[in-house]
């Protein structure tokens, strides 16, 4: 994608589509299964073991897709407790959870408006096959999709942003990262000099140690006005 045209990167989950507390929903599924089928197991201890397994695997040197990270953590936990693994019901639940979230009402309009003058796409911690299904379901028209699976690294790691800059052929100051996460999006992109726009729908306070974003908004439909001619001097 050569040229001087600026590129706008949207985070996906929590920014363009609603995904409220996914791990609470996963925990609920696991709790129901354990309590209904593995009565001898203390669920709180079971889930704590699952969470520890996930943390260890996530911090390892080998990159794992999101679905593989969750499934392997579950398998290790079931093996530890010497109980049958319920991944046949777990996998489709997780896939549906991340494939079917509803888009924010102003998401498509914001993307379509920006694409008239900019290259617009997604930069997300996501598995390719899952996010591709979700984008198709929501009908988003995008110029590119770059994922953690592509980069073999998750935000806020610098590797995924450096990978995106290489693929897109842009310097940090020619990119804009738009996201809802202070850590993954604002900290991750900002420390490399990428322009950041924080979608702060809940009125959160900026955490200590995070450089203020270039812009802070409470809705996606306010983004196009930032890139209008009256703001061009600040872009």
């Amino acid at each position: 994608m050569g040229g001087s045209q600026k590129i706008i990167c949207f985070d996906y989950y929590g920014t363009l589509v609603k995904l409220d507390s996914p791990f609470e929903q996963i925990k609920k599924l696991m709790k129901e299964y354990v309590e209904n089928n593995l009565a001898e197991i203390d669920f709180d201890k079971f889930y704590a073991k699952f969470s520890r397994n996930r943390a260890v695997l996530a911090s390892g040197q080998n990159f794992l897709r999101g679905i593989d990270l969750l499934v392997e953590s579950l398998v290790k936990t079931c093996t530890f407790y010497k109980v049958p693994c319920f991944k046949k019901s777990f996998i489709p639940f997780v896939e549906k959870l991340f494939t079917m979230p509803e888009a924010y009402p102003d998401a498509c309009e914001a993307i379509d408006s920006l694409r008239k003058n900019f290259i617009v796409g997604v930069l997300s911690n996501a598995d390719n096959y899952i996010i591709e299904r979700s984008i198709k379901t929501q009908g988003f028209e995008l110029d590119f999709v770059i994922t953690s699976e592509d980069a073999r690294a998750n935000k806020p790691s610098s590797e995924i942003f450096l990978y995106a800059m290489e693929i897109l052929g842009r310097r940090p100051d020619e990119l804009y990262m738009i996201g809802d996460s202070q850590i993954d999006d604002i900290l991750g992109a900002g420390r490399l000099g990428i322009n950041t726009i924080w979608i702060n729908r809940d009125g959160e306070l900026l955490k200590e140690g995070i450089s203020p974003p270039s812009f802070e908004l409470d809705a996606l439909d306010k983004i196009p006005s930032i890139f209008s001619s009256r703001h061009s001097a600040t872009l």
Side-chain angles (χ1 to χ4, degrees):
M1 293 185 181
S4 59
Q5 191 176 18
K6 288 184 172 62
I7 293 183
I8 299 173
C9 303
F10 278 96
D11 169 56
Y12 194 72
Y13 295 107
T15 299
L16 293 178
V17 299
K18 303 174 185 177
L19 188 62
D20 298 324
S21 305
F23 287 102
E24 285 302 313
Q25 297 182 59
I26 291 171
K27 183 178 181 179
K28 182 180 178 181
L29 169 77
M30 295 173 68
K31 182 178 177 68
E32 290 176 354
Y33 183 90
V34 170
E35 291 184 347
N36 291 334
N37 299 279
L38 306 171
E40 72 279 12
I41 302 296
D42 181 314
F43 174 72
D44 290 334
K45 292 181 179 178
F46 183 92
Y47 190 75
K49 184 66 174 177
F50 169 81
S51 298
R52 286 195 296 272
N53 285 333
R54 183 165 62 87
V56 170
L57 289 169
S59 63
Q61 293 184 346
N62 295 325
F63 173 82
L64 291 172
R65 297 185 308 167
I67 189 69
D68 298 328
L69 175 62
L70 291 170
V71 171
E72 190 165 338
S73 300
L74 178 64
V75 170
K76 284 182 175 293
T77 304
C78 290
T79 300
F80 176 83
Y81 280 97
K82 299 179 181 179
V83 296
C85 185
F86 49 99
K87 66 180 182 180
K88 286 187 178 180
S89 59
F90 183 78
I91 292 173
F93 177 87
V94 172
E95 289 177 335
K96 184 177 180 180
L97 179 63
F98 287 95
T99 300
M100 300 305 294
E102 178 185 0
Y104 283 98
D106 50 0
C108 276
E109 185 176 352
I111 290 171
D112 292 344
S113 176
L114 291 167
R115 288 186 71 226
K116 294 175 183 177
N117 298 299
F118 303 95
I119 297 170
V120 180
V122 159
L123 177 57
S124 177
N125 288 345
D127 298 344
N128 288 340
Y129 80 102
I130 291 179
I131 197 172
E132 286 168 3
R133 289 181 191 173
S134 182
I135 289 171
K136 183 176 181 179
T137 298
Q138 297 301 333
F140 290 132
E141 296 291 337
L142 300 162
D143 298 309
F144 64 88
V145 176
I146 297 174
T147 69
S148 52
E149 182 177 352
D150 295 328
R152 312 301 291 177
N154 286 297
K155 294 182 294 180
S157 170
S158 295
E159 280 77 6
I160 187 171
F161 295 103
L162 293 170
Y163 176 85
M165 284 188 280
E166 179 181 356
I167 294 297
L168 298 170
R170 292 294 190 278
R171 303 187 309 270
D173 62 303
E174 296 173 322
L175 291 179
Y176 286 82
M177 183 70 223
I178 301 174
D180 69 304
S181 172
Q182 295 192 42
I183 303 299
D184 288 354
D185 304 311
I186 307 309
L187 174 64
R191 62 189 174 192
L192 289 177
I194 296 172
N195 304 291
T196 57
I197 299 176
W198 182 24
I199 305 302
N200 183 13
R201 295 186 178 91
D202 298 325
E204 297 177 11
L205 296 177
L206 194 66
K207 296 176 182 178
E208 186 177 351
I210 299 180
S211 299
S214 307
F215 297 94
E216 179 179 337
L217 304 172
D218 60 7
L220 295 173
D221 61 7
K222 297 180 180 180
I223 295 173
S225 65
I226 289 177
F227 293 91
S228 66
S229 58
R230 67 178 178 274
H231 289 288
S232 59
T234 65
L235 298 179

